[in-house]
């Protein structure tokens, strides 16, 4: 679905971005065609791993079932998930993502440290779609 | 002032869930604006439609759809799409035609029949579309972004849920006085607090609904207005349709991430603030000159953000301004005396035009029970998905 946005397993799971060889700008989701810095003549865009840890810029949740194309099972009652916008210090970028299941907004605070882990977006009989989840550091569940 | 155009007429179809097609709302609003201007449709030189889009494809193309429904009469036609800023782009286009001498009398129309519930992207697998991606990968609806901004304000500025609720209370009180508003009932803070959480910390009554509605304006050159016998019309003095400046560092719809600031320092002010600044610079006014403002209150918390982005107060001081009553009817700079989106709901191509309708009625002194006393200068502020600025300054 979103090829090349993340890689690795377990503690080595990380997001993948790209970096412009001319101006060092980092892009996530990956930008493979143009450097979008208006002051850059444009360089090669090389894949780079993003920092695995960052700080919560803000957070919220989704108390109602989102519409398609988000995939949910209408047979199951809706379980809200939290969303966190995370500041990555080295890249000076903010990346949105869902939290790991079980972490809710009452567990979160702006400025809290979180780390990235692999998670399941949805699955059917043939396929499991992997995604990234943010998890407060120190939480192992 | 040579850069001005006259607002000869303003009209709306009342907003709500009426169950008709958008063309009906647009034509009703257009006819109301033409009647208000006292001009014949057949004398209109140019029609500019703000596009209604379903499924990523407009179907009916607005300008021609409205022109056909009103009766083909040979006018120049333009259709513009800029999401929620479509109406401002339509006004901007009409103004450019008038100022360049391409047209003397222009009809601007926007209308929508919005689906119920969350806005959603077009169908099919379209991973090259950032709007599709945020839904597919994150389930990130529009209200979740509003929730992020609200929670951020609480953490950084100390805004409270009660502050957010008071924005709704204020706007509902004004909306109750507006016959074109969808919701015409006062709301209490207790009712906001009792409504269901949609996206933490925001509740149902903190977030605007989707609506059907239509709005239209008749604009002309100042010379046409004089010939027409309108000596002192409401005038549009500025239209800001700016884009952001790289890097944008406030996470915004429909993006999954911000730009990285690693190579370029961000500008001192945010995109939203730059929209208003461009309008002020073009109009030659500042926040202190405003009699009123119509801002894009997708959520109660977002209205507070606009106070700061419009320069009505310093950063972090919006809740204080609200608590002082400065932005309520009768206050120093009333905001959303129309009732805002809180009372209207979203009818995307119409809402930026509707904001200018409200300024027009206020500046004429024809706003009835919600009249801002002695109104001389008004600003609208809005923001279109994918980086479309939208602000209009009108004066009398």
């Amino acid at each position: 679905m979103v090829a090349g946005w993340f890689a690795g397993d377990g503690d080595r799971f990380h997001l993948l971005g790209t970096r412009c060889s001319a101006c060092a700008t980092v892009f996530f989701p990956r930008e493979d065609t143009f450097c979008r810095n208006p002051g850059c003549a444009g360089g090669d865009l090389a894949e780079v791993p993003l920092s695995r840890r960052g700080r919560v810029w803000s957070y919220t949740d989704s108390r109602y079932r989102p519409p398609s194309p988000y995939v949910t099972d209408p047979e199951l009652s809706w379980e809200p998930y939290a969303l966190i916008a995370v500041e990555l210090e080295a890249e000076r970028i903010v990346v949105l993502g869902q939290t790991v299941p079980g972490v809710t907004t009452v567990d979160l605070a702006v400025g809290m440290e979180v780390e990235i882990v692999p998670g399941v977006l949805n699955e059917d009989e043939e396929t499991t779609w992997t995604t990234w989840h943010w998890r407060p550091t120190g939480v192992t569940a | 002032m040579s850069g001005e155009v006259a607002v000869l007429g303003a009209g709306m179809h009342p907003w709500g869930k009426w169950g008709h097609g958008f063309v009906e709302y647009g034509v009703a609003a257009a006819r109301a604006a033409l009647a208000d201007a006292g001009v014949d449709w057949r004398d209109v030189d140019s029609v500019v439609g703000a596009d209604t889009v379903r499924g990523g494809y407009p179907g009916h193309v607005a300008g021609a759809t409205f022109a056909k429904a009103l009766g083909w009469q040979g006018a120049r036609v333009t259709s513009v799409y800029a999401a929620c800023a479509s109406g401002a782009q339509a006004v901007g286009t009409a103004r450019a035609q008038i100022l360049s001498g391409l047209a003397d009398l222009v009809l601007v129309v926007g209308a929508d029949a919005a689906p119920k519930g969350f806005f959603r992207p077009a169908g099919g697998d379209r991973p090259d579309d950032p709007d599709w991606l945020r839904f597919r990968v994150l389930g990130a609806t529009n209200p979740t972004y509003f929730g992020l901004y609200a929670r951020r304000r609480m953490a950084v500025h100390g805004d409270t849920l009660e502050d957010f609720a008071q924005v709704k209370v204020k706007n509902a009180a004004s909306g109750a006085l507006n016959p074109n508003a969808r919701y015409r009932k006062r709301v209490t803070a207790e009712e906001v607090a009792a409504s269901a959480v949609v996206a933490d910390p925001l509740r149902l009554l903190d977030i605007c609904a989707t609506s059907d509605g239509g709005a239209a304006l008749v604009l002309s050159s100042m010379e046409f207005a004089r010939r027409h016998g309108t000596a002192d019309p409401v005038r549009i003095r500025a239209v800001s349709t700016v884009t952001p400046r790289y890097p944008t560092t406030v996470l915004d719809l429909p993006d999954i991430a911000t730009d990285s600031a690693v190579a370029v320092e961000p500008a001192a002010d945010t995109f939203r603030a730059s929209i208003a600044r461009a309008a002020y610079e073009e109009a030659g006014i500042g926040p202190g000159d405003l009699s009123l403002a119509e801002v894009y209150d997708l959520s109660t918390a977002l209205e507070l953000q606009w106070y700061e982005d419009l320069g009505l107060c310093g950063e972090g001081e919006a809740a204080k301004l609200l608590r002082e009553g400065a932005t309520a009817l009768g206050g120093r700079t009333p905001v959303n005396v129309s009732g805002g989106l809180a009372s209207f709901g979203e009818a995307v191509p119409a809402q930026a035009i509707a904001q200018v309708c409200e300024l027009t009625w206020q500046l004429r002194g024809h706003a009835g029970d919600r009249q801002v006393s002695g109104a001389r200068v008004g600003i609208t502020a809005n923001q279109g998905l994918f980086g479309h600025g939208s602000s209009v300054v009108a004066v009398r």
Side-chain angles (χ1 to χ4, degrees), chain A residues 40-98:
Chain A
C40 178
D44 293 334
L45 292 156
E47 187 172 284
V48 287
L50 301 192
S51 301
R52 295 190 63 258
R53 291 186 172 196
R55 302 231 166 239
V56 174
W57 181 83
S58 193
Y59 59 94
T60 184
D61 62 9
S62 194
R63 301 286 178 97
Y64 290 84
R65 194 187 300 271
S68 171
Y70 192 67
V71 178
T72 60
D73 184 347
E75 303 287 308
L76 300 178
S77 65
W78 173 244
E79 287 294 327
Y81 53 81
L83 281 167
I84 318 183
V86 178
E87 285 185 283
L88 304 182
E89 190 180 11
E91 293 84 0
R92 296 188 69 186
I93 194 171
V94 174
V95 178
L96 191 59
Q98 293 186 359

Side-chain angles (χ1 to χ4, degrees), chain A residues 1-2 23-26 28 37-38 57-61 63-64 69-70 81 91-94 96 98 110 121-122, chain B residues 132-133 135-139 144 148 151-152 155 196-200 246 256-265:
Chain A
M1 180 178 59
V2 288
C23 73
T25 288
V26 176
F28 181 84
N37 172 358
W57 181 83
S58 193
Y59 59 94
T60 184
D61 62 9
R63 301 286 178 97
Y64 290 84
Y70 192 67
Y81 53 81
E91 293 84 0
R92 296 188 69 186
I93 194 171
V94 174
L96 191 59
Q98 293 186 359
V110 169
L121 181 62
N122 67 294
Chain B
W132 184 90
L133 278 170
F135 278 92
R136 176 66 187 94
V137 178
L138 298 171
T144 58
L148 291 171
R151 182 55 71 180
R152 176 79 183 168
V197 175
V198 174
D200 171 281
Y246 184 89
I256 287 173
T258 63
D259 294 328
S260 162
V262 77
V264 182
E265 271 307 307

Side-chain angles (χ1 to χ4, degrees), chain B residues 215-229:
Chain B
L217 293 164
V218 175
L219 306 181
S220 80
S221 63
M222 294 304 294
E223 169 56 26
F224 183 99
R226 270 191 294 276
R227 286 203 310 272
H228 188 61

Side-chain angles (χ1 to χ4, degrees), chain B:
Chain B
M1 195 171 167
S2 63
E4 293 180 332
V5 301
V7 183
L8 288 189
M12 276 192 207
H13 184 288
W15 293 30
K17 289 281 189 184
W18 302 104
H20 306 304
F22 79 91
V23 184
E24 191 171 330
Y25 308 130
V27 169
R31 288 194 170 133
L34 290 163
D36 184 43
V39 298
D40 190 308
W41 157 239
R42 288 167 296 185
D43 294 330
V44 168
D45 300 321
S46 170
V47 55
V48 184
D51 283 355
T52 302
V53 171
R54 290 283 170 274
Y57 167 72
H60 304 267
V61 179
T65 298
F66 296 130
K68 182 181 180 185
L70 288 161
W72 293 126
Q73 48 84 318
R76 179 188 294 271
V77 64
T78 310
S79 301
V80 296
Y81 180 67
C84 293
S86 296
Q89 294 227 339
V91 170
T93 300
R95 182 182 73 140
Q97 291 179 350
I98 292 166
L99 294 180
S100 67
L102 288 174
D104 240 6
L105 184 62
V106 186
L107 173 68
V108 176
V109 194
D112 204 358
K116 277 181 87 103
F118 292 119
F119 283 128
R120 65 190 69 189
D125 274 357
R126 297 182 299 101
D128 57 343
D129 172 1
D131 198 42
W132 184 90
L133 278 170
R134 55 128 170 174
F135 278 92
R136 176 66 187 94
V137 178
L138 298 171
T141 61
N142 292 10
T144 58
Y145 286 81
F146 311 153
L148 291 171
Y149 304 148
R151 182 55 71 180
R152 176 79 183 168
R153 286 196 63 85
M154 292 172 78
V156 175
H157 300 312
D159 291 8
T160 66
L161 298 179
E162 176 65 14
D163 294 326
F164 300 156
Q166 287 303 329
V167 175
K168 177 70 175 187
V169 170
K170 172 183 74 69
N171 290 353
S174 282
L177 305 173
N178 190 341
N180 286 312
R182 175 177 178 190
Y183 300 106
R184 300 200 53 205
K185 201 167 120 331
R186 286 174 167 269
V187 170
T188 65
E190 292 72 27
E191 287 169 317
V192 179
S195 65
V197 175
V198 174
D200 171 281
L202 297 176
R203 296 174 179 275
L204 194 60
L205 293 183
D206 284 300
I207 295 170
C208 80
T210 61
S211 283
D212 297 358
L217 293 164
V218 175
L219 306 181
S220 80
S221 63
M222 294 304 294
E223 169 56 26
F224 183 99
R226 270 191 294 276
R227 286 203 310 272
H228 188 61
T230 312
D232 182 26
V234 170
R235 285 123 46 207
I236 289 179
R237 187 175 276 181
V239 183
S240 158
T241 58
V242 295
T243 51
R245 280 167 299 166
Y246 184 89
T248 64
T249 55
V250 178
L251 187 67
D252 212 345
L253 284 81
D255 294 326
I256 287 173
T258 63
D259 294 328
S260 162
V262 77
V264 182
E265 271 307 307
D269 50 7
T270 62
F271 174 44
R272 267 191 287 272
S274 76
I275 294 170
R277 198 194 53 233
Y280 286 138
E281 284 176 3
E282 189 171 280
I285 63 158
D289 298 313
L290 295 177
S291 309
L292 76 156
E294 286 285 306
V295 308
Y296 197 47
D297 56 324
L298 291 168
S299 80
T300 51
L302 193 62
E303 177 170 317
L304 296 177
Q305 185 68 49
W306 279 116
Y307 296 175
E308 297 165 19
D309 292 336
L310 288 179
L312 303 183
C313 61
E315 191 183 339
E317 296 172 353
K320 181 167 170 281
L321 197 70
L322 174 81
R323 289 179 209 138
E324 290 167 357
T327 59
L329 195 54
R332 190 170 73 242
T333 315
V335 176
N336 284 336
V337 286
S338 68
L341 294 181
S343 303
F344 275 72
E346 281 202 87
V348 170
Q351 54 215 26
I353 298 171
Q355 290 179 321
V356 181
C357 289
E358 179 66 13
L359 293 191
T360 302
W361 294 324
Q362 289 285 349
L363 295 174
R364 286 175 179 172
H366 294 168
D369 293 340
R370 62 180 196 286
Q371 180 65 46
V372 174
S373 164
R376 305 294 297 177
V377 180
I379 194 168
T380 72
N382 175 312
Q383 184 188 348
L385 198 68
F386 306 113
H388 293 97
S390 165
S391 177
V392 177
V393 174
V395 300
R396 183 75 188 277

